Amino acid sequence: MAPMRAIQITEESGPDSALALVELPEPEPSHMLTPGAGVVVEVHAAGVSFPELLQTRGEYQLKPPLPFVPGSEVAGIVLSASAGAQVSPGDRVAAFCALGGFAETAVAPEFFTFALPSELDFAQGAGLILNYHTAYFALAIRGRLQQGETVLVHGAAGGVGTAALQVAKALGARTIALVSTEAKRLVAEQAGAGETVLVSDTWRNEVKELSGGGVDVVLDPVGGDRFTDSLRSLREGGRVIVVGFTGGSIPEVRVNRLLLANTEIVGAGWGAYVMSKPDLNREVGAELARMVQEGFVAPIVGEHFPLERAGEALIAIDERRATGKIVLDVR
Ligand SMILES: NC(=O)c1ccc[n+]([C@@H]2O[C@H](COP(=O)([O-])OP(=O)(O)OC[C@H]3O[C@@H](n4cnc5c(N)ncnc54)[C@H](OP(=O)(O)O)[C@@H]3O)[C@@H](O)[C@H]2O)c1
């Protein structure tokens, strides 16, 4: 088989030194989740996200033996599709491959491969699955978000954050975006935030005021020491949805707060939940395609890097400089 260019993680020494550009044989049409079957995709753009950064340090739960090709999602053109797939050779697709995306050819399970709506380019397609499926899963399924409710989104200029702003709006909710800088405020506005608030000692008061007494849902990919203030920002019946810990520390809470205020903390771990539920993936994919067509969902690509500069892309995430989705242009 013809060799392809790919990025491997060769050691767990961080984004400066862990990566190498290599030539590898093209992958077989088989995915670890669907052994012996898979959709083979000619990769045009690969999405870069937090898990890949963590993998350069050996800090992510998915820990294949070294060396391996990271890259959880791609957009490109189908080269071959397994039986039963809803896509065919030649189709433009977005695909979640979990690993192997930082390469010219990647393989994904058929239930994680979706027709790419004509409204979106390949770079946007590479930002469609991880963040938007997570946002939909966290808000609609785990968070039970209802039309007319108000959502506070932490890290709102980031990948999950911008996705959550758009999905919440598509679900009929009002959004408040919390961001750390003026530049990120602009990104949150571009993503359609209803209101924006800068992180400060008083952010909680501003959120309370803007929401008329408290929000219904907090979507939290950041964690850390803001967590108690997130709980205090809820109105009665409100939910904090735990999505990630980019702030570095895993918060601990005194659960009497939940009792006193009649509130909830809900965990939302997308990958583990949907991995064994092909029909749910298809349903969420269809909902998101509708949101794209209706103009609510359009992934925001913050920066492009060529494949060989994948390390710089991961450093941008590490240094908190990333906005929207960072994408590798593979072809
Ligand atoms: N639960 C799930 O199923 C699931 C799925 C996908 C992703 N995730 C997780 O969600 C988290 C967010 O992912 P993402 O792709 O949105 O990341 P991202 O684009 O880098 O955005 C993360 C945001 O976190 C904030 N932040 C606060 N402290 C930070 C720090 N010390 N370093 C970096 N960022 C910091 C930043 O916003 P400000 O500067 O405005 O504070 C940043 O914009 C990650 O932990 C990821 O693993 C979870």
Side-chain angles (χ1 to χ4, degrees), residues 35-321:
V39 179
V40 181
V41 179
E42 176 187 86
V43 178
H44 285 245
V48 183
S49 28
F50 233 85
E52 285 93 50
L53 170 65
L54 298 177
Q55 281 170 335
T56 66
R57 302 197 170 106
E59 289 172 357
Y60 192 61
Q61 59 258 35
L62 184 58
K63 245 183 165 191
L66 297 171
F68 69 93
V69 179
S72 52
E73 62 184 326
V74 298
I77 294 174
V78 174
L79 293 173
S80 71
S82 46
Q86 295 184 323
V87 294
S88 310
D91 286 356
R92 297 166 81 245
V93 290
F96 186 79
C97 45
L99 291 172
F102 289 6
E104 287 177 325
T105 308
V107 185
E110 57 82 14
F111 59 79
F112 270 148
T113 306
F114 306 91
L116 181 60
S118 59
E119 291 85 348
L120 304 183
D121 61 24
F122 285 127
Q124 290 174 305
L128 192 58
I129 301 182
L130 179 63
N131 292 336
Y132 284 84
H133 279 243
T134 294
Y136 185 90
F137 169 69
L139 291 169
I141 298 176
R142 298 293 295 140
R144 310 177 316 271
L145 181 66
Q146 302 297 313
Q147 204 163 2
E149 287 191 323
T150 300
V151 184
L152 169 68
V153 177
H154 285 281
V160 171
T162 50
L165 290 173
Q166 294 183 352
V167 169
K169 199 167 172 183
L171 291 168
R174 194 180 149 206
T175 55
I176 302 176
L178 192 64
V179 290
S180 64
T181 64
E182 285 295 343
K184 288 186 175 182
R185 189 203 287 270
L186 293 179
V187 175
E189 283 170 357
Q190 191 192 345
E195 320 266 2
T196 54
V197 173
L198 281 182
V199 179
S200 70
D201 292 343
T202 57
W203 69 261
R204 178 166 63 95
N205 301 338
E206 289 174 60
V207 168
K208 276 239 164 180
E209 204 172 307
L210 286 172
S211 59
V215 300
D216 301 286
V217 167
V218 176
L219 184 115
D220 186 12
V222 176
D225 52 16
R226 294 186 208 166
F227 199 83
T228 300
D229 275 346
S230 287
L231 281 175
R232 290 185 178 130
S233 305
L234 293 174
R235 69 171 75 232
E236 187 180 275
R239 294 83 75 195
V240 174
I241 310 171
V242 178
V243 177
F245 310 103
T246 54
S249 64
I250 297 178
E252 291 179 16
V253 293
R254 297 170 71 87
V255 295
N256 63 326
R257 288 188 191 286
L258 309 181
L259 178 154
L260 293 170
N262 284 299
T263 53
E264 295 171 49
I265 300 173
V266 182
W270 172 73
Y273 190 89
V274 301
M275 206 77 83
S276 58
K277 302 179 182 70
D279 287 342
L280 179 66
N281 286 303
R282 293 185 192 107
E283 280 166 33
V284 175
E287 272 299 289
L288 289 170
R290 180 183 62 77
M291 291 176 181
V292 171
Q293 272 144 25
E294 289 175 356
F296 289 106
V297 162
I300 290 173
V301 176
E303 221 174 333
H304 293 252
F305 292 86
L307 178 66
E308 58 274 17
R309 285 170 53 201
E312 288 171 55
L314 293 177
I315 289 167
I317 293 179
D318 199 26
E319 294 180 348
R320 203 171 169 175
R321 284 186 280 115

